[in-house]
Amino acid sequence: PADDAAVLGVAGLDKDGKLAAWSSRGMTLWEEPLGAGRAGVDVITHGEFWGADQHNACQHQWGTSVACPVVVGLLALLLSSLPERQRNTLLNPAALKQVVYAGSSPLPDYGWLEQGAGLLDAPATEAAARAFEPHASAVPSVLDLRPSVGCPYLWPLCDMPLYATMQPLFVNLTLLNSRSATAAFAAPPLWRPRAGGHALHVSFAYDDHRGLSAHRGFLGVRLSVSSSASGWAGEVEGELVITLVDTALAAN
């Protein structure tokens, strides 16, 4: 189910606070074999503890089926505590995902395909929910592929140096839009180069016909080194510019 970007994928920690062996991880499979997968995990939380059973006795509980209710329970409590006007801005899957991402912090020893945005933090999630304003975002929001900075979080992407004769590097971004259920690309995505950006050729794959539906979509990014830069070495900086128009709002 977590292959669907409208579903919140939850990974679990074991009793020692480590990523559990039974916790799912890796890329989504819906895109195979025609494209690269997206991150299938959105957040990680506690997935092994002692809890009450149906007879009000103690029971050892473990699994992602235990971790998921931790996230759901936190979100339900937060929503119930918010003023109605603020709560109504959060009643779509993209908004809840954006709040969860804002309220989580990456654990140091795991990658994005294992933990998503990281460990869910209740106070930070509450602060994000109270300050939330509908917006569009991409997951991951930053692609820092320098091994000294991006690894291990963006592994294996950060462990693949780019050079002129290598195969292109593909990244599939999840797009979230909590402003509107549907949206269209107002213009083709754009690579805006900064320092060293001349060395990188960036192209995109996206659904120009459907755009974003049910508050989510995707953007495939293809990175390759220009042949004119085959003798150049250095770091590349730039921005991916995505412009959306909210079609559900326009229709109304």
Side-chain angles (χ1 to χ4, degrees), residues 104-151:
S104 303
S105 300
L107 296 173
D109 298 326
Y110 306 112
W112 65 308
L113 299 177
E114 298 171 302
Q115 63 172 320
L119 180 64
L120 184 66
D121 181 275
T125 304
E126 180 186 13
R130 294 191 180 279
F132 182 80
E133 294 184 5
H135 62 283
S137 61
V139 179
S141 58
V142 177
L143 292 174
D144 194 331
L145 304 184
R146 293 173 294 176
S148 60
V149 179
C151 281

Side-chain angles (χ1 to χ4, degrees), residues 86-110:
Q86 180 66 2
R87 182 167 62 246
N88 288 341
T89 67
L90 290 163
L91 298 183
N92 67 70
L96 292 178
K97 274 198 169 190
Q98 289 168 336
V99 165
V100 165
Y101 268 77
S104 303
S105 300
L107 296 173
D109 298 326
Y110 306 112

Side-chain angles (χ1 to χ4, degrees), residues 9 12 20 38 42 63 81 97-98 133 136 151 172 186 195-196 200 206 211 252:
R38 295 170 291 101
D42 294 299
S81 70
K97 274 198 169 190
Q98 289 168 336
E133 294 184 5
C151 281
N172 201 349
L200 193 64
Y206 57 100
N252 292 333

Side-chain angles (χ1 to χ4, degrees), residues 115-251:
Q115 63 172 320
L119 180 64
L120 184 66
D121 181 275
T125 304
E126 180 186 13
R130 294 191 180 279
F132 182 80
E133 294 184 5
H135 62 283
S137 61
V139 179
S141 58
V142 177
L143 292 174
D144 194 331
L145 304 184
R146 293 173 294 176
S148 60
V149 179
C151 281
Y153 183 68
L154 283 176
W155 188 89
L157 302 177
C158 58
D159 200 28
M160 302 170 67
L162 288 166
Y163 51 90
T165 57
M166 74 170 289
Q167 292 293 316
L169 179 64
F170 294 94
V171 185
N172 201 349
L173 306 180
T174 299
L175 303 182
L176 301 172
N177 183 17
S178 52
R179 299 180 315 214
S180 172
T182 59
F185 288 91
L190 174 68
W191 164 244
R192 183 178 292 166
R194 294 199 299 231
H198 68 283
L200 193 64
H201 177 72
V202 182
S203 57
F204 304 95
Y206 57 100
D207 193 335
D208 191 29
H209 176 67
R210 292 184 58 193
L212 277 66
S213 61
H215 297 280
R216 84 281 198 239
F218 72 91
L219 178 67
V221 182
R222 180 183 185 271
L223 307 175
S224 60
V225 176
S226 304
S227 57
S228 59
S230 59
W232 179 84
E235 294 181 355
V236 172
E237 296 181 9
E239 296 176 331
L240 303 179
V241 180
I242 307 167
T243 307
L244 302 173
V245 57
D246 298 332
T247 53
L249 295 178

